[in-house]
């Protein structure tokens, strides 16, 4: 396009040199230069448009590729998190361990120990070095990460530092040196006990030593007299610890004796005679 304008300007200059003044020739040349400079080149504009289009398309392609890889990474993270959540819900850490039994002959159900008897689950069986032997393949239970799926970091949201707000230094404000200031000693004295034969009405009164807290009843104890008579036992008065407190009165085959009324107790002075009295056969106390 520029070459056309240049040729035209030369031709115009040659034609004008013969018939047109020099001022007109200069004017024509200036107009040709201005026209050539102001008119755009269609080829250059087309090339620029193509370059701009390619740049835009390349930018769009890069953005699309970036979006694609972002979506792919996001989907991978979702799948990974889903697998982790599923594994956490199932309570397993990694793949459950498996083991195989020792090789035995067929049938395996005769010679192989079962997986259940070993605390596992049956998976399959396989041949050993030859087809004449085989073994069970078992799977152990999975190992859980913790007793719960989402264990708490602490038993409570705000655990207390001490069991109480102001713990006491001792069980009581003024603890005593002893359980009681003056521990009481057992009170000794004499018991008066009246026994009676239910069939014959005969009575017998016994005065025995004992403690104020004693209780009495009729018991059967060995007696040489009764054993000689018929191999029986004697009826005696015993306390709450089944200790003999009176002599035997009637054998066990001579009817029944009972305690009449309520025995009476008379306390004695400290270190009185009853405090030092023991039966002929005692327990050493």
């Amino acid at each position: 396009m520029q070459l056309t304008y240049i040729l035209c300007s030369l031709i115009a200059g040659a034609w004008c040199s013969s018939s047109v003044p020099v001022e007109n020739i200069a004017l024509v040349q200036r107009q040709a230069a201005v026209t050539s400079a102001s008119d755009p080149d269609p080829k250059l504009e087309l090339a620029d448009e193509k370059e701009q289009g390619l740049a835009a398309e390349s930018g769009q392609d890069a953005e699309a590729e970036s979006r694609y890889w972002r979506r792919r990474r996001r989907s991978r993270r979702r799948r990974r998190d889903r697998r982790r959540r599923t594994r956490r819900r199932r309570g397993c850490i990694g793949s459950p361990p498996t083991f195989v039994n020792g090789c035995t002959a067929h049938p395996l159900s005769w010679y192989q120990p079962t997986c259940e008897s070993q605390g596992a689950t049956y998976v399959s069986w396989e041949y050993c070095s030859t087809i004449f032997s085989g073994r069970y393949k078992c799977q152990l239970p999975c190992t859980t990460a913790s007793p719960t799926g989402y264990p708490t970091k602490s038993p409570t949201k705000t655990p207390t530092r001490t069991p109480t707000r102001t713990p006491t230094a001792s069980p009581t404000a003024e603890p005593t040196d002893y359980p009681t200031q003056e521990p009481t000693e057992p009170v000794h004295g004499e018991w008066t006990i009246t026994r009676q034969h239910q069939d014959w009405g005969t009575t017998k009164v016994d005065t025995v030593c004992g403690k104020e807290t004693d209780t009495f009843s009729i018991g059967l104890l060995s007696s040489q007299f009764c054993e000689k008579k018929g191999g029986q036992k004697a009826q005696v008065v015993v306390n709450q610890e089944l200790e003999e407190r009176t002599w035997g009165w009637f054998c066990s085959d001579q009817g029944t004796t009972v305690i009449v009324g309520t025995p009476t107790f008379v306390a004695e002075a400290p270190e009185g005679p009853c405090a030092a009295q023991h039966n002929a056969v005692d327990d050493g106390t």
Side-chain angles (χ1 to χ4, degrees):
M1 192 69 181
Q2 293 179 357
L3 181 61
T4 303
Y5 284 110
I6 293 172
L7 293 175
C8 289
S9 62
L10 293 175
I11 293 171
W15 176 74
C16 293
S17 61
S18 58
S19 58
V20 182
V22 178
E23 292 80 2
N24 294 335
I25 294 173
L27 179 60
V28 171
Q29 290 178 350
R30 284 197 299 273
Q31 289 179 354
V34 170
T35 304
S36 63
S38 60
D39 293 339
D41 189 355
K43 293 183 178 180
L44 293 177
E45 290 180 356
L46 183 60
D48 293 339
E49 290 178 358
K50 288 182 178 180
E51 290 179 357
Q52 292 176 359
L54 291 174
E57 290 178 359
S58 63
Q60 293 176 357
D61 293 342
E63 186 177 357
E65 185 176 3
S66 177
R67 284 198 304 271
Y68 167 76
W69 287 111
R70 284 199 301 270
R71 286 196 299 268
R72 187 167 180 178
R73 286 193 296 269
R74 194 178 299 115
S75 63
R76 285 181 178 177
R77 285 196 297 269
R78 289 198 189 101
R79 287 196 298 270
R80 180 191 61 196
D81 295 340
R82 192 179 302 114
R83 285 195 299 269
R84 289 179 177 176
R85 287 194 297 270
T86 304
R87 191 178 299 116
R88 190 180 297 115
R89 283 195 299 270
R90 292 174 181 171
C92 296
I93 300 177
S95 300
T98 59
F99 66 92
V100 292
N101 291 337
C103 296
T104 59
H106 295 282
L108 298 181
S109 59
W110 289 10
Y111 305 106
Q112 285 279 304
T114 61
C115 297
E116 288 75 11
S117 64
Q118 305 176 72
T121 305
Y122 171 80
V123 177
S124 63
W125 70 276
E126 59 184 15
Y127 288 111
C128 292
S129 57
T130 64
I131 62 173
F132 301 104
S133 61
R135 58 189 178 184
Y136 285 152
K137 186 176 182 181
C138 307
Q139 185 180 71
L140 291 172
C142 61
T143 304
T144 56
S146 58
T148 56
Y150 299 92
T152 55
K153 295 181 179 180
S154 58
T156 56
K157 184 178 294 185
T158 307
T160 56
R161 296 182 180 180
T162 56
T164 56
R165 187 186 299 271
T166 307
T168 56
S170 58
T172 55
E174 296 179 359
T176 57
D177 296 334
Y178 303 97
T180 55
Q181 294 183 358
E182 296 180 359
T184 57
E185 293 291 338
V187 178
H188 291 85
E190 291 184 344
W191 283 97
T192 301
I193 305 171
T194 302
R195 286 183 286 177
Q196 183 181 22
H197 195 286
Q198 285 186 335
D199 296 332
W200 302 338
T202 307
T203 60
K204 178 176 173 53
V205 178
D206 296 297
T207 301
V208 298
C209 289
K211 299 177 183 178
E212 186 181 15
T213 56
D214 285 344
T215 58
F216 302 100
S217 62
I218 301 296
L220 299 177
L221 294 179
S222 299
S223 170
Q224 294 181 1
F225 175 80
C226 294
E227 289 178 358
K228 289 179 181 180
K229 289 293 183 180
Q232 302 298 320
K233 293 185 178 181
Q235 300 183 52
V236 298
V237 176
V238 296
N239 61 11
Q240 70 276 5
E241 297 176 358
L242 301 181
E243 295 175 344
E244 179 184 359
R245 306 312 298 166
T246 64
W247 294 98
W249 192 52
F250 292 104
C251 297
S252 58
D253 60 345
Q254 295 176 331
T256 305
T257 60
V258 296
I259 297 176
V260 179
T262 302
T264 58
F265 177 76
V266 178
E268 66 179 10
E271 299 181 0
C274 287
Q277 179 175 323
H278 298 280
N279 291 341
V281 179
D282 59 20
D283 55 2
T285 59

